[in-house]
């Protein structure tokens, strides 16, 4: 396997592609984890190759996780599947997918569009930037990606071929365990601001009812191969500005439930909401307006998803399904509760993860940070245990506000 580095990558790109018309190129390693520079790379080796006229991104997967070293083995074939799903999704929702230029299947390298004209959404949210078009954009991306890779549209044999092609067993295994099972992290050091928060988290995870509900969500995740999902859709994998949005990092792609990607994404908006509640260095009125914006964004993502899903159903759904009264409604009936459940699991696990969590890490005051993460735990636990009781997105938003109100009130009483 050829290992690309800053020393040989220019020669590699020139020898294998005709992207550049001259050999006066520069290279930059952009794969480091560095939130201050708006980088959050853990898994792969990523380089920017450029000149005055053009730039591209070169991404290589190696047989291990970059952030943890060679002791953490992982199939590099994930890189090939990511390239294939980018090409596939590019046929469905091209406006939201970076262009791809080249694949080296032998060395697990692909080259794609450089998105540096956009910004990483997570770090822009940390700066209180508003994105008025995002809800519609990501709602359309999710609905169309789901629908057109599902058996609602595809022939059964094509759907089964997708399932076989995107088994992605190693990456599935990571998510099946790391996203749902607290025991997956036993004996490891956590990214927690202090022991108090870790103790609170441990208290939540010691509850049999919490463990049971996480396993129920894991069961849905493992057994429902409804459509091709992104698998790791969060705000660090979204590049954005006021008008455009592009989604990256699809190496976790496999067939899963309609509800997973939205739940995983909403989890990160809930964490932002919790963080802004306690950013005492920001004027209260501005914080409250931004918290309201984040909750409104959650509601709009869901509403736009349903809108575009219905649009796809009417335009391209199979007649046998469209003529079956109540079938579409049955698909959407449990969608919201699953979204809420997946969001809760994702946030509870990430709060005690092995890597940084920039939503909270930017809060310099440790008391504020601990309070923010504690609020997230309170919201996540309630979401997980009560997801089936929440019947509308408006009710979900109100639940979050009510939990925050009680949480802040209890903090005030303690002081």
């Amino acid at each position: 396997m050829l290992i690309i580095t800053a020393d040989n990558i220019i020669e590699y790109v020139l020898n294998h592609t005709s992207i550049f018309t001259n050999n006066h190129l520069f290279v930059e390693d952009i794969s480091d984890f560095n939130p201050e520079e708006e980088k959050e790379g853990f898994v792969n080796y990523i380089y920017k190759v450029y000149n005055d006229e053009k730039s591209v991104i070169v991404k290589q997967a190696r047989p291990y996780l970059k952030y943890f070293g060679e002791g953490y083995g992982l199939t590099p074939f994930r890189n090939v599947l990511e390239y294939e799903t980018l090409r596939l999704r590019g046929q469905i929702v091209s406006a939201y997918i970076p262009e791809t230029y080249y694949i080296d299947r032998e060395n697990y390298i692909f080259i794609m569009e450089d998105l540096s004209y956009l910004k990483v959404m997570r770090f822009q949210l940390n700066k209180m930037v508003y994105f008025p078009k995002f809800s519609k954009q990501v709602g359309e991306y999710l609905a169309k990606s789901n629908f057109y890779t599902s058996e609602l549209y595809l022939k059964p044999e094509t759907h089964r071929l997708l399932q076989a092609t995107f088994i992605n067993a190693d990456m599935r295994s990571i998510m099946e365990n790391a996203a749902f099972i607290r025991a997956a992290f036993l004996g490891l050091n956590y990214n927690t601001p202090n022991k108090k928060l870790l103790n609170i988290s441990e208290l939540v995870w010691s509850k049999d009812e919490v463990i049971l509900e996480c396993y129920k969500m894991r069961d849905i995740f493992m057994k429902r191969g409804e459509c091709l999902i992104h698998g790791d859709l969060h705000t660090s994998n979204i590049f954005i500005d006021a008008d455009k949005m592009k989604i990256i990092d699809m190496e976790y792609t496999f067939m899963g439930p309609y509800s997973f990607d939205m739940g995983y994404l909403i989890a990160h908006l809930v964490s932002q909401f919790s963080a802004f509640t306690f950013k005492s260095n920001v004027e209260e009125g501005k914080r409250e307006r931004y918290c309201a914006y984040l909750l409104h964004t959650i509601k709009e993502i869901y509403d736009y998803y349903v809108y575009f899903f219905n649009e796809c159903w009417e335009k391209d759904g199979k007649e046998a399904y469209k003529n079956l009264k109540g079938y579409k409604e049955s698909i959407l009936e449990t969608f919201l509760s699953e979204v809420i459940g997946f969001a809760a699991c994702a946030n509870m696990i990430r709060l005690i993860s092995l890597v940084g969590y920039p939503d909270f890490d930017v809060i310099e005051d440790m008391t504020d940070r601990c309070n923010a993460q504690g609020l997230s735990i309170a919201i996540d636990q309630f979401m997980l245990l009560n997801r089936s009781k929440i019947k509308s997105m408006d009710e979900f938003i109100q639940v979050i506000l009510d939990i925050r109100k009680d949480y802040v009130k209890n903090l005030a009483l303690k002081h």
Side-chain angles (χ1 to χ4, degrees):
M1 178 178 175
L2 171 68
I3 300 299
I4 57 168
T5 67
D7 295 325
N8 65 13
I9 193 170
I10 290 177
E11 180 182 5
Y12 176 88
V13 170
L14 290 173
N15 288 343
H16 289 82
T17 76
S18 57
I19 294 172
F20 296 98
T21 57
N22 66 72
N23 59 5
H24 190 59
L25 301 177
F26 303 92
V27 59
E28 178 184 354
D29 185 344
I30 60 173
S31 58
D32 291 337
F33 175 69
N34 189 339
E36 292 183 1
E37 297 181 10
E38 302 193 359
K39 298 176 183 178
E40 195 185 8
F42 302 111
V43 180
N44 302 294
Y45 291 79
I46 306 172
Y47 299 89
K48 177 179 177 179
V49 178
Y50 63 99
N51 60 15
D52 292 338
E53 299 177 351
K54 190 175 181 65
S55 61
V56 297
I57 298 300
V58 183
K59 182 173 182 178
Q60 181 175 42
R62 299 182 192 173
Y64 53 87
L65 285 165
K66 175 180 70 67
Y67 186 82
F68 299 111
E70 297 186 21
Y72 289 81
L74 190 65
T75 174
F77 187 68
R78 63 189 189 271
N79 179 277
V80 175
L81 291 181
E82 180 177 4
Y83 173 81
E84 295 295 348
T85 197
L86 284 168
R87 291 182 61 210
L88 176 59
R89 292 175 195 273
Q91 298 297 312
I92 300 170
V93 280
S94 59
Y96 309 130
I97 305 297
E99 189 174 353
T100 52
Y101 305 122
Y102 174 77
I103 178 69
D104 179 345
R105 299 174 190 274
E106 181 180 352
N107 295 300
Y108 309 106
I109 300 167
F110 73 81
I111 303 176
M112 71 175 191
E113 176 186 3
D114 175 22
L115 300 176
S116 58
Y117 62 94
L118 303 173
K119 299 290 187 180
V120 178
M121 187 176 187
R122 182 187 299 278
F123 301 108
Q124 296 304 295
L125 293 178
N126 284 344
K127 298 174 183 177
M128 296 178 62
V129 179
Y130 291 78
F131 297 102
K133 296 183 180 180
F134 169 69
S135 301
K136 183 176 182 180
Q137 291 167 333
V138 79
E140 181 179 16
Y141 162 82
L142 287 167
K144 291 185 175 180
S145 294
N146 286 4
F147 184 87
Y148 289 110
T149 59
S150 77
E151 203 268 333
L152 298 173
Y153 170 75
L154 297 173
K155 294 179 180 178
E157 53 270 28
T158 305
H159 189 250
R160 287 193 292 271
L161 182 61
L162 271 186
Q163 290 177 319
T165 301
F166 291 95
I167 292 176
N168 208 357
D170 282 8
M171 306 306 282
R172 281 194 68 111
S173 179
I174 291 175
M175 296 304 290
E176 288 170 0
N177 293 292
F180 300 98
I181 302 176
R182 162 69 180 85
F185 296 107
L186 285 176
L188 300 173
N189 294 320
Y190 306 114
N191 175 54
T192 54
N194 57 38
K195 292 297 182 182
K196 179 182 176 182
L197 178 64
L198 184 57
N199 290 338
I200 293 172
S201 179
E202 293 294 335
L203 179 63
V204 172
W205 279 106
S206 69
K207 297 178 180 179
D208 289 341
E209 58 182 345
V210 169
I211 298 171
L212 173 61
E213 296 306 319
C214 281
Y215 268 91
K216 287 181 181 178
M217 294 309 305
R218 181 175 181 263
D219 190 62
I220 294 172
F221 180 75
M222 292 179 68
K223 294 180 180 178
R224 294 248 298 273
E226 294 169 328
C227 63
L228 191 63
I229 64 173
H230 180 290
D232 192 29
L233 182 60
H234 54 75
T235 51
S236 288
N237 288 333
I238 298 173
F239 278 70
I240 196 166
D241 66 11
D243 296 308
K244 295 182 179 180
M245 179 197 77
K246 299 279 186 176
I247 294 176
I248 64 162
D249 204 13
M250 301 190 185
E251 63 190 347
Y252 284 88
T253 189
F254 40 79
M255 301 296 276
Y258 297 124
S259 51
F260 181 75
D261 280 344
M262 184 185 293
Y264 205 75
L265 173 61
I266 284 177
H268 291 260
L269 297 176
V270 171
S271 68
Q272 287 282 358
F273 170 84
S274 300
F276 272 101
T277 295
F278 289 99
K279 287 185 177 180
S280 57
N281 62 327
V282 179
E283 188 268 318
E284 183 178 1
K286 291 182 179 180
R287 283 192 286 120
E288 282 303 297
R289 285 191 291 274
Y290 205 69
C291 284
Y293 160 71
L294 291 167
L295 295 183
H296 183 67
T297 297
I298 291 172
K299 173 176 165 50
E300 280 199 330
I301 291 171
Y302 176 82
D303 289 345
Y304 275 118
Y305 179 93
V306 173
Y307 170 82
F308 284 111
F309 189 90
N310 284 329
E311 184 179 74
C312 294
W313 175 276
E314 294 302 324
K315 180 176 180 290
D316 291 315
K318 294 177 181 177
E319 290 299 322
Y321 294 151
K322 290 164 67 175
N323 294 332
L324 188 58
K325 186 177 180 180
Y327 188 66
K328 179 184 69 175
E329 289 72 18
S330 71
I331 294 171
L332 295 174
E333 185 177 0
T334 60
F335 182 76
L336 178 59
S337 66
E338 291 177 10
V339 165
I340 294 170
F342 285 131
C345 291
N347 253 355
M348 287 198 300
I349 287 287
R350 186 76 190 268
L351 280 165
I352 55 168
S353 70
L354 305 175
V355 294
Y357 202 165
D359 301 4
F360 299 106
D361 294 346
V362 295
I363 303 176
E364 295 182 2
D365 184 277
M366 295 304 291
T367 299
D368 288 343
R369 189 190 300 186
C370 186
N371 288 336
Q373 292 189 292
L375 173 58
S376 184
I377 291 173
I379 294 172
D380 299 335
Q381 180 183 213
F382 188 91
M383 282 169 26
L384 178 66
L385 299 180
N386 297 276
R387 64 188 186 278
S388 61
K389 299 176 184 177
I390 300 173
K391 301 302 182 183
S392 71
M393 185 53 74
D394 286 329
E395 185 179 345
F396 176 53
I397 299 302
Q398 189 59 51
V399 162
I400 293 175
L401 290 170
D402 289 344
I403 294 172
R404 183 180 71 160
K405 181 180 179 180
D406 290 341
Y407 184 86
V408 172
K409 181 179 178 181
N410 290 333
L411 280 179
L413 291 174
K414 291 178 181 179
H415 295 88

